[in-house]
Amino acid sequence: MLDNVELVHTLEETKTKATEVSEKLKLAGKTAVDIDKLRDGYRPAAKRGAILFFVLAEMALVNTMYQYSLASYLEVFDFSLRKSLPDSILQKRLRNIMDTLTYNVYNYGCTGLFEKHKLLFSFNMTIKIEQAEFRAPQNELDFFLKGNLSLEKSKRKKPCSWLPDQGWEDIIRLAELFPQECGTLPDDVEKHDAEWKSWYDLDSPEQAAFPMKYKDNLTSFQKLLLLRCFRIDRVYRAVTDYVTLTMGEKYVQPPVISFEAIFDQSTPNSPIVFILSPGSDPASDLMKLAERTGFGGSRLKFLAMGQGQEKVALQLLETAVSRGQWLMLQNCHLLVKWLKDLEKSLERVSKPHPDFRLWLTTDPTKDFPIGILQKSLKVVTEPPNGLKLNMRATYFKIPYDMLEGCPHPAFRSLVYVLAFFHAVVQERRKYGKIGWNVPYDFNESDFQVCMEILNTYLTKAFNQADSKIPWGSLKYLIGEVMYGGRAIDSFDRRILMVYMDEYLGDFIFDTFQPFHFFQNDEVDYRIPKDGPKDDYVEEIESLPLANTPEVFGLHPNAEIGYYTQAARDMWKHLIELQPQTGETGGGISRDEYISQVAKDIQNKLPKVFDLDLIRKKLGLEISPTTVVLLQEVERFNKLIVRMGRSLAELQRALAGEVGMSSELDEVARALFNGQIPVIWRKLAPDTLKSLGNWMLHFKKRFDQYSTWIDEGEPTVMWLSGLHIPESYLTALVQATCRKNGWPLDRSTLYTQVTKYHTAEEVTERSGQGCFVSGLYLEGADWSTEKSCLIRSKPKVLVVELPILKVIPIESHRLKLQNTLRTPVYTTSMRRNAMGVGLVFDSDLSTTKHISHWVLQGVCLSLNLD
């Protein structure tokens, strides 16, 4: 064997190789450790990526159109890795990756979000990133979102009248939750009233130094909690400042949507979905883009969706995929069911032409196929924000020769007035219900048609050498037919007609008293002198970018209402995005907390009313108002039974004795978040109250029914306590008609505001009609001395109206002067598109012209929020 030289060589070689392999294995082990170490170094970037993905994915809870798939997110992730600056120092490289990724995800998300949800997205992103770094603890966030959820009012009385009631409850809770930072807050407010009031009265308290020690010893997030207690209307701006401070200014400045950038990001396999909002139309912008990129004419196909268009759409899709055309399917929300077929057709497309693009436009709709949404590029198109930008966009689309086409000298000035009116009716929408009861889709086509009407009528007047402008016809056609044709609410139509009277008439050309749309020390909205289009564009460019609500005839308080509502909406959405498990702030589990709340409510539930006993007590002679009482009590009984049953079942489900149904889960979630469960809401009058305030309202309703049964009809009726207040007022008219022998169909109601401020002051019953309490006036104030409407005080959005006297009368005898017909609504949400929410019309005295109050959106409501 030793003589076998070849074998010896082979063995030696094997030995060397074995040593070499073991060396390499050792080295590979070491390299694997090094690689793991390097990979671990990049974990913070991966963690940030995961946080950002869930922030994006959660947005689907805010609006079903906000759907994002992991695959489309990973494209953004890879793109960010490639784009971020390389650096040899790991920490700097990580910082670059994380910054680039966060900003790219922000831009990617914002492109597909409505303006009103962009700050919510930034704030949620900031909070999640902060919480990953163990800042902004969950109990602080819970208080910021929910405030004081207690069902009991605090024993301690509010020390100062200027502080909101709920604000004081929140201050008490804040002191309990965070004794170290805010333990002495109630005492501080009580002892240093003047200092706190001067801070509270500032226009932007969030940007000023906080009073006393609170300017130094609170984190930037804790300052938001304190602001919540005092000035809800400034929370929205303060959140913007918080995001700017924590993340940087670019996270509160959403990117401007550019169609070129959208086209660059698009691929043949992913459709581009335009989510529409009232007043926006991306079709004309897309046509311009198509022409610039060489897809104009026959290479761009349009189809407006509607019944019977399904087959045509699929044929056009087939052609476009094979020939590389662009296809735009408009208004896809009208054929939601068919979109499932479109989704299947898109899945079957394996090798589309590289030039093919599919563009879809749709209103937000909850049944839109998630498959299309997740793989699409979503783009939200909204009309420009602000009066100046709106008018600029309008003038940009008016052809030069169109303005020169009419020979009448007043034409160009009236087109400017029309553009101003068009911008005003769109901008009013921003202020919510004080602007319009129903948010109308006033758009470019309305303006274009009205311009044609102006042209036709003025040309006719000019040709007939008629010096008079036909104002009556113009006001009717523009205000009642074109714009008014969209307004389905009679009070909204009244606003449009007031604008017509304010903006159209010979007075706009008066040289002795020049006409101004609005004028103050800083700004002057007027009609420029007649000239070419450029003169008007120049005038628009000289206007300020931001405008006050006064330009639309609203009170400056409308801005406060707008920001308060924006903050409330943001909290509502953020509560939905919170984890629904785990610990609550007080260290008890979620289930224990819900069980406690349920027990509290069970203890407060009264016994159901015995209807047979009540009928027996009332005897056989039943008046119309007594019929109302019986119907009301019957409805109230249903609510008590429903509440009792669902709370008992919930307690059993929490104890594990029965399964948790989806209905009980909803009740549990509502109780945890301090909201009213949906199944109770259905059996109660409309309300926007939180659970705690609603329980007080519930107790007060029970007391009113009990008094009515035991002592007879109340001298002063608290209308908010009735499930259907209209029925009581109708019964009142009916009873008076029977008594006086009037025909029912020719009788009506009118109202007078009394000098009484509380129900206790009213000692005797009204001879005719009744006294009503609990009405709140929005958009104006009431002067008891002069008994008429007066201008609202700054920062006071809603005031309680003195006791109102409601008097039935025969219609032909009613002659009212100097009164404003004021709608009375159930809640501050006023009347919706279905006409639900209006209770009756009241009459309020005024010394000013009614147009002043109509534009301020004056109304009465039965409930405070």
Side-chain angles (χ1 to χ4, degrees):
M1 196 165 130
L2 289 174
D3 292 343
N4 192 338
V5 181
E6 202 176 323
L7 181 61
V8 172
H9 273 301
T10 309
L11 286 171
E12 274 176 9
E13 221 169 280
T14 309
K15 193 178 176 186
T16 329
K17 280 273 190 296
T19 320
E20 208 176 297
V21 166
S22 67
E23 295 274 321
K24 279 185 179 166
L25 281 171
K26 273 183 201 163
L27 192 66
K30 193 165 169 252
T31 311
V33 172
D34 288 347
I35 288 172
D36 277 349
K37 199 172 164 190
L38 276 170
R39 268 175 58 199
D40 275 348
Y42 282 93
R43 261 183 212 287
K47 189 179 172 190
R48 171 69 63 90
I51 291 169
L52 293 174
F53 172 66
F54 287 112
V55 169
L56 260 185
E58 278 177 346
M59 290 306 287
L61 293 170
V62 176
N63 188 323
T64 45
M65 300 301 282
Y66 302 158
Q67 298 283 351
Y68 298 92
S69 66
L70 184 58
S72 61
Y73 173 74
L74 286 175
E75 284 176 21
V76 181
F77 191 84
D78 294 343
F79 174 74
S80 304
L81 283 180
R82 289 197 303 276
K83 284 285 180 189
S84 54
L85 292 172
D87 201 297
S88 52
I89 300 165
L90 180 65
Q91 285 308 325
K92 283 189 180 173
R93 171 72 176 140
L94 280 176
R95 179 59 31 225
N96 292 346
I97 291 174
M98 280 149 77
D99 286 350
T100 312
L101 173 67
T102 310
Y103 190 54
N104 282 347
V105 169
Y106 171 70
N107 280 345
Y108 174 70
C110 275
T111 309
L113 299 182
F114 285 110
E115 199 65 45
K116 61 184 175 187
H117 294 144
K118 285 176 183 172
L119 184 64
L120 163 75
F121 177 58
S122 300
F123 181 65
N124 195 27
M125 187 191 274
T126 308
I127 284 294
K128 292 281 196 296
I129 292 171
E130 287 289 281
Q131 286 188 330
E133 307 285 337
F134 305 106
R135 294 189 288 267
Q138 188 63 34
N139 59 348
E140 288 184 9
L141 180 62
D142 280 345
F143 178 82
F144 175 61
L145 300 182
K146 300 174 188 174
N148 186 349
L149 293 178
S150 167
L151 298 181
E152 301 290 338
K153 291 290 161 222
S154 63
K155 304 282 183 287
R156 191 166 173 174
K157 284 277 170 282
K158 187 174 75 165
C160 32
S161 59
W162 51 267
L163 194 63
D165 292 347
Q166 189 56 45
W168 177 246
E169 299 296 329
D170 287 348
I171 286 172
I172 300 287
R173 182 76 182 131
L174 192 61
E176 287 168 12
L177 279 177
F178 310 107
Q180 202 175 339
E181 296 90 351
C182 302
T184 58
L185 184 60
D187 299 331
D188 291 341
V189 174
E190 202 164 335
K191 288 174 191 157
H192 303 89
D193 184 313
E195 190 179 343
W196 284 95
K197 179 154 184 359
S198 62
W199 174 74
Y200 171 85
D201 283 337
L202 292 171
D203 280 343
S204 22
E206 75 283 359
Q207 291 176 345
F210 281 47
M212 303 172 62
K213 63 179 183 185
Y214 300 99
K215 57 174 162 285
D216 303 317
N217 71 349
L218 296 183
T219 64
S220 52
F221 189 70
Q222 285 165 345
K223 285 182 178 171
L224 290 177
L225 313 189
L226 192 59
L227 193 68
R228 180 199 165 108
C229 303
F230 289 91
R231 289 278 301 273
I232 292 183
D233 61 294
R234 299 310 297 172
V235 166
Y236 197 75
R237 294 309 305 267
V239 165
T240 309
D241 295 343
Y242 171 71
V243 173
T244 307
L245 193 72
T246 316
M247 300 278 285
E249 201 172 349
K250 59 185 182 182
Y251 289 96
V252 290
Q253 295 173 340
V256 178
I257 289 176
S258 125
F259 276 68
E260 269 83 0
I262 293 162
F263 177 54
D264 291 342
Q265 286 176 47
S266 66
T267 65
N269 290 316
S270 61
I272 298 100
V273 176
F274 289 111
I275 304 169
L276 304 174
S277 60
S280 68
D281 179 23
S284 56
D285 291 317
L286 186 66
M287 283 161 88
K288 285 172 194 156
L289 174 73
E291 276 163 25
R292 286 198 295 274
T293 47
F295 282 87
S298 61
R299 295 194 68 187
L300 172 64
K301 301 288 181 199
F302 279 91
L303 182 65
M305 299 310 290
Q307 211 169 354
Q309 297 286 24
E310 298 93 327
K311 282 184 180 166
V312 186
L314 288 176
Q315 283 165 359
L316 282 173
L317 178 69
E318 227 169 272
T319 316
V321 169
S322 57
R323 294 188 187 169
Q325 296 170 341
W326 285 10
L327 174 61
M328 184 178 203
L329 302 179
Q330 291 170 290
N331 301 333
C332 292
H333 54 278
L334 301 177
L335 275 184
V336 174
K337 285 195 177 121
W338 171 78
L339 290 173
K340 300 260 190 307
D341 298 343
L342 176 68
E343 189 180 359
K344 285 173 192 156
S345 302
L346 288 173
E347 279 166 11
R348 283 199 292 272
V349 173
S350 52
K351 288 184 181 171
H353 191 290
D355 286 343
F356 165 69
R357 294 289 184 279
L358 176 62
W359 311 79
L360 308 172
T361 73
T362 174
D363 277 359
T365 172
K366 63 177 190 297
D367 298 325
F368 202 97
I370 291 175
I372 295 182
L373 283 174
Q374 287 197 336
K375 70 175 184 183
S376 69
L377 181 63
K378 286 165 289 301
V379 183
V380 164
T381 58
E382 292 184 277
N385 193 8
L387 207 86
K388 175 180 178 172
L389 296 181
N390 203 310
M391 288 184 74
R392 184 199 279 167
T394 302
Y395 257 80
F396 179 68
K397 287 172 183 161
I398 301 175
Y400 203 83
D401 52 349
M402 174 82 197
L403 280 177
E404 305 299 321
C406 177
H408 200 289
F411 178 67
R412 284 189 288 263
S413 298
L414 285 179
V415 169
Y416 187 82
V417 172
L418 186 63
F420 190 87
F421 165 71
H422 180 68
V424 164
V425 295
Q426 283 196 326
E427 285 302 304
R428 234 187 124 90
R429 203 167 43 213
K430 161 179 155 183
Y431 296 98
K433 292 289 181 176
I434 205 163
W436 300 110
N437 276 347
V438 181
Y440 299 109
D441 180 8
F442 298 120
N443 58 34
E444 211 185 307
S445 59
D446 297 326
F447 175 79
Q448 299 287 357
V449 176
C450 288
M451 205 160 78
E452 289 292 344
I453 290 171
L454 277 179
N455 192 347
T456 309
Y457 274 77
L458 291 180
T459 307
K460 188 179 171 187
F462 182 81
N463 292 341
Q464 292 175 351
D466 188 351
S467 60
K468 286 196 180 79
I469 294 174
W471 294 118
S473 306
L474 290 175
K475 282 180 187 178
Y476 181 78
L477 287 170
I478 296 170
E480 286 274 11
V481 179
M482 287 313 303
Y483 284 86
R486 288 188 185 277
I488 49 180
D489 186 285
S490 54
F491 291 104
D492 286 345
R493 217 167 9 247
R494 180 169 76 166
I495 292 173
L496 284 168
M497 288 321 292
V498 166
Y499 275 131
M500 288 287 99
D501 293 339
E502 294 285 317
Y503 292 169
L504 294 180
D506 287 325
F507 57 85
I508 64 174
F509 299 116
D510 192 332
T511 44
F512 297 105
Q513 268 190 314
F515 171 74
H516 303 274
F517 294 109
F518 173 76
Q519 184 184 26
N520 64 11
D521 299 340
E522 285 100 46
V523 66
D524 180 8
Y525 291 87
R526 61 194 174 88
I527 305 172
K529 285 191 174 67
D530 187 33
K533 178 180 171 180
D534 296 349
D535 291 9
Y536 293 96
V537 173
E538 211 171 290
E539 178 69 25
I540 293 169
E541 290 306 325
S542 72
L543 298 175
L545 208 54
N547 50 272
T548 68
E550 292 169 287
V551 182
F552 315 127
L554 290 163
H555 190 280
N557 281 354
E559 196 105 61
I560 296 177
Y562 166 65
Y563 280 126
T564 306
Q565 196 51 46
R568 287 207 175 112
D569 289 345
M570 185 160 77
W571 286 333
K572 193 176 114 207
H573 289 311
L574 282 165
I575 286 171
E576 287 168 9
L577 302 183
Q578 294 314 299
Q580 298 293 331
T581 53
E583 300 284 305
T584 61
I588 57 169
S589 76
R590 178 178 184 265
D591 286 3
E592 285 167 343
Y593 176 78
I594 293 168
S595 179
Q596 269 180 18
V597 175
K599 212 167 271 147
D600 275 359
I601 297 176
Q602 275 176 315
N603 295 338
K604 288 189 168 71
L605 280 185
K607 283 195 170 68
V608 289
F609 290 106
D610 188 334
L611 282 167
D612 294 335
L613 244 171
I614 296 170
R615 282 198 182 94
K616 207 172 186 180
K617 191 176 175 183
L618 294 169
L620 294 171
E621 283 295 308
I622 288 186
S623 68
T625 48
T626 314
V627 173
V628 172
L629 170 66
L630 290 168
Q631 290 172 345
E632 286 285 326
V633 169
E634 198 176 326
R635 287 193 188 94
F636 195 69
N637 276 352
K638 281 181 185 168
L639 176 61
I640 298 174
V641 170
R642 191 68 207 252
M643 286 169 73
R645 193 183 298 148
S646 59
L647 289 170
E649 281 176 12
L650 180 64
Q651 293 283 27
R652 290 180 64 201
L654 289 172
E657 293 170 24
V658 293
M660 180 76 86
S661 67
S662 60
E663 194 175 81
L664 287 179
D665 190 42
E666 195 281 321
V667 174
R669 183 187 283 126
L671 298 185
F672 181 63
N673 290 331
Q675 295 162 341
I676 309 163
V678 173
I679 55 171
W680 301 359
R681 241 178 222 286
K682 285 178 184 166
L683 298 174
D686 247 0
T687 182
L688 300 173
K689 293 179 188 294
S690 62
L691 183 62
N693 289 331
W694 184 75
M695 283 308 296
L696 297 172
H697 184 264
F698 176 82
K699 171 84 174 69
K700 210 170 152 193
R701 282 182 69 200
F702 174 75
D703 294 343
Q704 173 160 287
Y705 291 138
S706 306
T707 316
W708 193 348
I709 292 163
D710 299 337
E711 300 167 20
E713 202 174 318
T715 317
V716 178
M717 181 59 74
W718 177 53
L719 269 190
S720 326
L722 302 181
H723 191 111
I724 302 179
E726 303 95 302
S727 61
Y728 177 72
L729 298 171
T730 311
L732 202 70
V733 177
Q734 208 175 348
T736 315
C737 288
R738 281 185 192 175
K739 191 170 149 192
N740 299 339
W742 298 342
L744 184 61
D745 57 341
R746 293 200 193 137
S747 305
T748 183
L749 293 166
Y750 81 98
T751 64
Q752 286 173 344
V753 182
T754 65
K755 301 272 185 190
Y756 307 122
H757 279 278
T758 59
E760 287 71 41
E761 292 172 41
V762 184
T763 47
E764 54 188 50
R765 186 177 296 283
S766 161
Q768 293 266 12
C770 72
F771 291 110
V772 169
S773 70
L775 294 174
Y776 298 93
L777 181 62
E778 186 183 3
D781 202 343
W782 184 261
S783 161
T784 316
E785 294 78 51
K786 296 179 186 167
S787 286
C788 69
L789 288 167
I790 52 171
R791 189 173 166 80
S792 299
K793 296 183 186 78
K795 298 191 185 64
V796 181
L797 275 70
V798 178
V799 291
E800 190 165 357
L801 194 75
I803 304 290
L804 188 74
K805 189 176 183 184
V806 180
I807 307 154
I809 188 171
E810 285 182 283
S811 304
H812 68 273
R813 289 192 185 172
L814 186 63
K815 303 279 186 292
L816 292 173
Q817 278 185 320
N818 300 334
T819 55
L820 171 73
R821 199 93 178 116
T822 314
V824 180
Y825 300 110
T826 314
T827 67
S828 65
M829 288 317 281
R830 304 196 176 196
R831 177 157 67 170
N832 65 14
M834 307 299 289
V836 177
L838 182 72
V839 182
F840 69 107
D841 294 349
S842 66
D843 307 288
L844 301 181
S845 305
T846 167
T847 50
K848 287 187 174 174
H849 192 272
I850 66 154
S851 64
H852 180 78
W853 305 116
V854 169
L855 295 186
Q856 295 216 344
V858 173
C859 79
L860 288 164
S861 57
L862 297 180
N863 287 287
L864 280 174
D865 301 348

